[in-house]
């Protein structure tokens, strides 16, 4: 299946995408992860996007469109993929549509993860990520067994600089202004499936399975 996981930052779509990707072997393509890795390695791309990311701003459309197109040319995506954090603007969605239709690889569904703003702020400010494998934890809802260490690989856990409360609130405003128009964009195409994302990780996972007909 060719899928998009759409929703506000911190709504839990990355966690779900990782779970589905490891169960079904569809690559999980997170533009945020790709960009963070570029920043960490201080590549030319990383140096160009660092200040946008730290301020909670979107990076320019053309940069991220090129990254995704290149990734979707890789053969491991031919059997299916999960896009997480892309598209985030109507321009990105239109570029993706044009690319996929030129390759005759249409989208199967766009899952829209919904939760209240306060729930999202709580989730994001308590989120911790593994520096080595990218696994995601939450200090209250999903704490690691050993504080500061990843259960899966033993790597160090850290708080993303853009998960501080002030930046989180700014990211949510950017999301409202730039990304919410995609809800009607995909609704009009008959692709949108709504997911109530407020429950537990396992509860949301079952819900998504049911929606995709995989239960
Ligand atoms: P995320 O991990 O998806 O919350 O993304 C972290 C940051 O990466 C965002 O706040 C943006 O600065 C940047 N970013 C990720 N995906 C995109 C995108 N599709 N368009 C523009 N900027 C993006």
């Amino acid at each position: 299946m060719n899928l998009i996981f759409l929703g506000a930052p911190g709504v839990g779509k990355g966690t779900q995408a990782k779970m589905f990707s490891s169960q079904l072997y569809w690559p999980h393509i997170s533009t945020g992860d790709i960009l963070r890795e570029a920043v960490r390695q201080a590549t030319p791309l990383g140096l160009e996007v660092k200040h946008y990311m730290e301020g909670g701003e979107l990076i320019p459309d053309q940069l991220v469109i090129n990254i995704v197109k290149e990734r979707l040319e890789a053969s491991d995506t031919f059997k299916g993929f999960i896009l997480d954090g892309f598209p985030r603007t109507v321009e990105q969605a239109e570029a993706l549509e044009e690319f996929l239709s030129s390759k005759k690889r249409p989208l199967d569904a766009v899952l829209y993860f919904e939760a209240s703003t306060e729930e999202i702020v709580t989730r994001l400010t308590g989120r911790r990520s593994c520096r080595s494998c990218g696994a995601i934890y939450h200090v209250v809802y999903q704490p690691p067994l050993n504080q500061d260490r990843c259960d899966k690989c033993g790597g160090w856990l850290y708080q993303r600089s853009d998960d501080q409360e002030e930046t989180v609130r700014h990211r949510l405003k950017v999301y409202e202004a730039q990304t919410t128009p995609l809800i009607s964009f995909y609704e009009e195409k008959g692709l949108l499936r709504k997911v109530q994302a407020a429950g537990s990780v396992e509860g949301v996972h079952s819900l998504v399975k049911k929606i995709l007909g995989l239960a």
Side-chain angles (χ1 to χ4, degrees):
M1 278 190 186
N2 299 335
L3 301 173
I4 291 174
F5 282 13
L6 179 69
V11 75
K13 58 191 192 307
T15 301
Q16 295 296 331
K18 280 192 174 71
M19 289 168 86
F20 278 97
S21 174
S22 65
Q23 288 170 11
L24 299 161
Y25 306 106
W26 298 329
H28 166 212
I29 304 172
S30 157
T31 45
D33 285 351
I34 294 170
L35 293 166
R36 271 185 293 283
E37 185 56 20
V39 170
R40 200 178 65 82
Q41 294 191 11
T43 64
L45 171 71
L47 296 175
E48 190 172 350
V49 300
K50 190 170 192 271
H51 69 282
Y52 292 104
M53 295 179 73
E54 283 176 353
E57 301 290 346
L58 295 187
I59 73 160
D61 282 330
Q62 208 48 54
L63 276 180
V64 72
I65 288 168
N66 290 342
I67 292 169
V68 172
K69 278 188 185 172
E70 198 183 315
R71 182 65 187 86
L72 290 175
E73 294 282 7
S75 59
D76 66 328
T77 66
F78 294 173
K79 61 185 185 304
F81 56 80
I82 303 173
L83 281 172
D84 162 20
F86 181 94
R88 253 170 152 111
T89 65
V90 171
E91 187 172 339
Q92 292 177 19
E94 284 170 345
L96 177 70
E97 188 174 37
E98 197 185 311
F99 176 82
L100 291 176
S101 76
S102 76
K103 306 278 177 195
K104 303 201 167 33
R105 294 162 63 191
L107 287 171
D108 292 292
V110 176
L111 269 70
Y112 168 46
F113 291 77
E114 291 182 292
S116 73
T117 302
E118 283 320 305
E119 168 93 23
I120 288 169
V121 171
T122 308
R123 286 196 195 188
L124 279 180
T125 52
R127 178 162 72 175
R128 298 293 180 269
S129 312
C130 173
R131 270 200 201 286
S132 305
C133 73
I136 300 167
Y137 299 86
H138 190 280
V139 289
V140 178
Y141 303 137
Q142 214 190 338
L145 294 172
N146 295 311
Q147 206 192 354
D148 302 330
R149 288 290 193 168
C150 176
D151 294 351
K152 297 188 178 105
C153 76
W156 287 104
L157 301 183
Y158 76 109
Q159 182 180 36
R160 284 170 42 176
S161 59
D162 59 351
D163 281 348
Q164 316 277 344
E165 184 161 349
E166 198 184 327
T167 315
V168 163
R169 294 208 181 263
H170 181 66
R171 287 166 67 202
L172 290 174
K173 282 199 189 121
V174 171
Y175 168 77
E176 267 308 312
Q178 313 237 51
T179 309
T180 53
L182 295 185
I183 299 165
S184 48
F185 181 92
Y186 286 119
E187 204 156 34
E188 280 160 21
K189 295 180 190 301
L191 288 170
L192 201 79
R193 310 278 178 275
K194 291 187 180 169
V195 183
Q196 289 308 322
S200 67
V201 170
E202 292 72 24
V204 176
H205 191 61
S206 313
L207 204 59
V208 175
K209 269 185 163 166
K210 215 178 278 172
I211 290 170
L212 293 176
L214 301 169

